[in-house]
Amino acid sequence: MATTTVHRSARTRNSASAAGRVRAHSPYTSWFYLPAAVIYGVLFLVPTVIAFYFSLTRWSIFDSKFIGFDNYVTFFQEPGLISSLWHTLVYAVLTSGAKVVLGLGLAILLTSQIVGRGYLRSVVFFPVLVSTIGVGLTFTVLMNPERGLINQSLDLIGITGPGWLTDPSLALISVALVDIWKGVGLATLIYIAGIVSIPQEYFEAARVDGAGAWDNFRHIVLPLARPATVTVIILSLIGGLRSFDLIWAMTRGGPGFTSDVIASVIYKQYQAGFYGLSTAGNVVLFLVVTAIILPLSRFLNRKEVEL
Amino acid sequence: MPRKNYALSAIAILVSVVVFLVPFAFILLTAMKTQQEASLLNFSWPTQFRFVQNFIDVVQARDYMLIIAFINSTILTVASVTLMVVFGAMVAFTLQRKRSRWNGLINMFVLAGLIIPPAVVPTIWVLQKIGLFRTMPGLILVEIAFGLAFVILLFRAFIGTIPRELDEAAVIDGAGPARLFFRVILPLLKPVIVTSVVVQSVMVFNDFTNPLYFLPGDQNATVQLTLFNFSSQYSTQNNLLFMNILLITIPPLIMYLFFNRQIVAGMTAGAVKG
């Protein structure tokens, strides 16, 4: 059909040269890449590449001087800096693990036969759209050790709540909890999209075979929602490793350096005028992110679904 | 048809109220309180309603900084999202249609844009070299550069569903590349345009890090930064802080009420392998 109309309209125009030109020139032009390529190249690729050079310099507002690997030596020797690397990893693994588990659980709940499904979906998802800084400052107040709502409520049932953000061993985890609160809605939505795309026939067949709820979950939902799991893990790991806003709003890396992550170290060193050290932190973050995400996504995407 | 599980529903709704609604109620209640009452941090009904007064105080604080910030954020969001979507759609269209040995490399760059954390200080250095550091156009370009990859992915998947025969027909009718794209293809992309505009608007509006680095200074504040200025300046004025949080939550809330489905579609893209 399409080809005949194409031929006829070409012939009615009666211009062999025009038809020839059409064949010679593709209607798709590389010029379309240009605006995006310029902006992306100048403001993303160039900085990413020159970061490797500047991380090897002592760099201030005025000039930069090549000093080899000194910035990296500083980064890996200073306890306050190297600890940020571990905090980043703990934070990312904690948040993305919790988002996978809670997101899957909530998604199964919100695709089952319960009342108020629409309300529950909206209320779980809405925090995703709220300003991270707003959420951070709100929870800073709620987590106030003496007067905060959380510890007041715990008092009512006879538990003395901890100093969520003031206890050095707890601050990072408290911020991670708020991150999970804010981000679990996205994981849930991704899982819901994955679960509703599973053909109902599988569940019907399973019912005929006498499968229970656990069998359904273990042998149908879990394997077939795998693309959703991959998406949630990758997205929340990327987000978690780069996380800055929430930590800055809630603790500014404190108490001490106990909740500093690489992204907050980058900002602190930048503010202090140590541009080279800040950039070295950036390169470390780059290497950490790519060293984790690339092999992981290759591994997760390689295994196809096995029922 | 399985029966509804009422016990589970009741538990779920109760938990959702405690976990998700109470923090928002707390924001709302504190925003209505007097300064003394708000400083108690209680989750309680205000004894005196100061909603209007708090609103006026927040707007007037620091020479109407919030108004300036809203204007700045609006300019930033509208300009960067518009250009991001147009440029991203152009790339996605060409990438999807044109076969070339560069496609692999371009795809790699798109993925890199999603994964790699931007190098902050070198970006500032580049912006300084081209004279755009501490300027709104500079920040707009930065937002475009960081947001492009996501937009391209969304568009590419959608453009794949538009038949190539349409392109051929348009070309035979004499359309050049620009006409083909802007007059024929772009109107067909409306669903994905709405999705990416809404999702990216919320992202850019809520962005804190990039304005912090690339557009410092009180005169240039965007809404997320006013929040921070308030919290340091009004360390005890929680009522105003929460009024501010409330006010800057309204634009995303409106977006969510009107474009619920598009937001969900955009954010869950990739969850189902197609």
Side-chain angles (χ1 to χ4, degrees):
Chain A
M1 264 300 280
T3 46
T4 53
T5 41
V6 165
H7 280 304
R8 187 152 10 99
S9 61
R11 210 180 316 129
T12 47
R13 283 182 191 254
N14 192 23
S15 50
S17 63
R21 204 181 61 213
V22 166
R23 196 154 303 146
H25 293 268
S26 153
Y28 315 117
T29 162
S30 301
W31 288 106
F32 271 32
Y33 289 134
L34 195 66
V38 169
I39 296 174
Y40 182 83
V42 171
L43 291 176
F44 187 81
L45 289 182
V46 168
T48 302
V49 173
I50 60 173
F52 284 90
Y53 168 72
F54 278 127
S55 69
L56 302 175
T57 64
R58 182 178 295 121
W59 185 19
S60 69
I61 309 168
F62 306 106
D63 55 353
S64 60
K65 184 168 164 282
F66 188 84
I67 53 166
F69 285 93
D70 281 8
N71 287 323
Y72 292 97
V73 172
T74 311
F75 187 92
F76 284 104
Q77 278 182 346
E78 198 82 38
L81 298 180
I82 184 64
S83 66
S84 73
L85 177 59
W86 309 123
H87 296 155
T88 306
L89 295 174
V90 169
Y91 187 89
V93 170
L94 208 62
T95 50
S96 88
K99 283 173 191 172
V100 167
V101 174
L102 289 175
L104 181 57
L106 282 169
I108 290 172
L109 180 73
L110 296 181
T111 50
S112 68
Q113 293 294 323
I114 61 167
V115 187
R117 226 161 46 172
Y119 152 79
L120 286 168
R121 283 187 192 184
S122 320
V123 95
V124 170
F125 181 67
F126 186 62
V128 173
L129 301 178
V130 178
S131 136
T132 309
I133 304 297
V135 167
L137 295 174
T138 304
F139 272 90
T140 309
V141 169
L142 294 175
M143 286 177 165
N144 185 297
E146 294 94 31
R147 296 172 295 146
L149 179 60
I150 295 176
N151 280 359
Q152 294 269 332
S153 313
L154 288 176
D155 270 345
L156 288 182
I157 52 173
I159 302 172
T160 308
W164 298 99
L165 299 171
T166 49
D167 182 343
S169 61
L170 206 62
L172 186 72
I173 294 170
S174 301
V175 180
L177 287 176
V178 178
D179 189 313
I180 296 162
W181 179 88
K182 182 169 160 39
V184 75
L186 183 57
T188 307
L189 270 190
I190 292 172
Y191 268 118
I192 288 176
I195 289 174
V196 296
S197 73
I198 299 174
Q200 281 299 314
E201 287 80 22
Y202 288 125
F203 294 107
E204 280 158 27
R207 198 165 60 231
V208 172
D209 289 345
W214 171 253
D215 297 316
N216 274 346
F217 171 73
R218 177 67 190 80
H219 296 291
I220 299 177
V221 174
L222 206 55
L224 287 177
R226 192 187 165 91
T229 307
V230 174
T231 310
V232 172
I233 292 177
I234 299 290
L235 274 186
S236 48
L237 268 184
I238 294 175
L241 291 169
R242 290 160 64 158
S243 178
F244 169 70
D245 304 19
L246 195 62
I247 290 167
W248 194 250
M250 295 186 72
T251 65
R252 302 207 170 200
F257 302 105
T258 51
S259 63
D260 251 332
V261 291
I262 300 179
S264 66
V265 165
I266 293 170
Y267 183 64
K268 282 180 177 176
Q269 299 305 328
Y270 163 68
Q271 268 194 320
F274 298 117
Y275 296 165
L277 187 53
S278 169
T279 307
N282 230 316
V283 172
V284 171
L285 183 59
F286 167 86
L287 295 175
V288 168
V289 171
T290 43
I292 292 175
I293 299 298
L294 286 188
L296 188 67
S297 67
R298 189 159 298 166
F299 171 75
L300 290 175
N301 284 318
R302 192 184 55 198
K303 277 175 116 187
E304 282 306 314
V305 172
E306 293 158 27
L307 270 176
Chain B
M1 191 70 193
R3 273 220 316 274
K4 297 228 174 208
N5 189 335
Y6 288 103
L8 193 61
S9 311
I11 295 171
I13 290 172
L14 191 70
V15 171
S16 79
V17 168
V18 172
V19 175
F20 288 104
L21 288 190
V22 165
F24 286 108
F26 183 81
I27 296 175
L28 194 61
L29 290 173
T30 311
M32 295 192 288
K33 289 176 178 175
T34 61
Q35 191 187 331
Q36 292 90 334
E37 207 182 352
S39 68
L40 298 175
L41 311 184
N42 283 333
F43 184 66
S44 62
W45 199 251
T47 49
Q48 280 177 292
F49 281 90
R50 294 284 300 270
F51 192 83
V52 177
Q53 188 57 47
N54 286 348
F55 177 82
I56 294 171
D57 286 351
V58 168
V59 171
Q60 286 182 338
R62 302 187 69 181
D63 289 334
Y64 297 91
M65 189 171 175
L66 189 62
I67 304 277
I68 294 167
F70 258 102
I71 295 170
N72 285 338
S73 278
T74 309
I75 295 171
L76 173 67
T77 307
V78 171
S80 62
V81 172
T82 309
L83 293 175
M84 193 192 298
V85 166
V86 173
F87 295 161
M90 286 162 69
V91 171
F93 174 67
T94 315
L95 194 59
Q96 215 282 321
R97 291 294 209 250
K98 192 176 157 88
R99 289 165 135 261
S100 140
R101 60 207 161 99
W102 299 104
N103 281 10
L105 187 72
I106 296 167
N107 279 321
M108 201 193 79
F109 280 146
V110 173
L111 287 183
L114 287 180
I115 295 170
I116 295 174
V120 181
V121 193
T123 309
I124 292 176
W125 183 79
V126 169
L127 283 171
Q128 269 171 340
K129 289 282 165 201
I130 54 179
L132 289 176
F133 183 52
R134 286 176 191 271
T135 66
M136 184 54 91
L139 182 58
I140 290 170
L141 290 174
V142 166
E143 296 284 4
I144 296 172
F146 297 170
L148 267 173
F150 181 69
V151 174
I152 292 173
L153 277 192
L154 275 184
F155 272 93
R156 202 183 53 185
F158 192 86
I159 290 171
T161 66
I162 294 176
R164 270 168 187 272
E165 283 79 11
L166 203 69
D167 305 11
E168 286 159 16
V171 168
I172 282 161
D173 284 346
R179 273 263 296 282
L180 165 65
F181 177 72
F182 286 102
R183 303 296 291 273
V184 180
I185 301 296
L186 207 55
L188 294 173
L189 302 179
K190 207 175 148 201
V192 72
I193 291 175
V194 175
T195 298
S196 42
V197 165
V198 172
V199 171
Q200 290 293 356
S201 300
V202 174
M203 292 294 170
V204 174
F205 186 83
N206 280 342
D207 186 18
F208 164 71
T209 316
N210 294 324
L212 178 74
Y213 277 120
F214 305 119
L215 194 61
D218 283 357
Q219 261 309 303
N220 298 323
T222 58
V223 287
Q224 306 302 323
L225 291 165
T226 64
L227 212 48
F228 243 112
N229 291 338
F230 274 116
S231 84
S232 47
Q233 191 196 3
Y234 299 100
S235 49
T236 52
Q237 289 184 312
N238 277 315
N239 53 342
L240 299 191
L241 168 64
F242 281 89
M243 176 57 87
N244 200 352
I245 294 177
L246 194 64
L247 289 179
I248 69 162
T249 307
I250 290 172
L253 180 64
I254 292 172
M255 283 299 215
Y256 186 49
L257 293 179
F258 283 100
F259 299 106
N260 185 351
R261 194 181 302 160
Q262 285 83 356
I263 292 180
V264 171
M267 292 206 157
T268 58
V272 191
K273 280 272 165 63

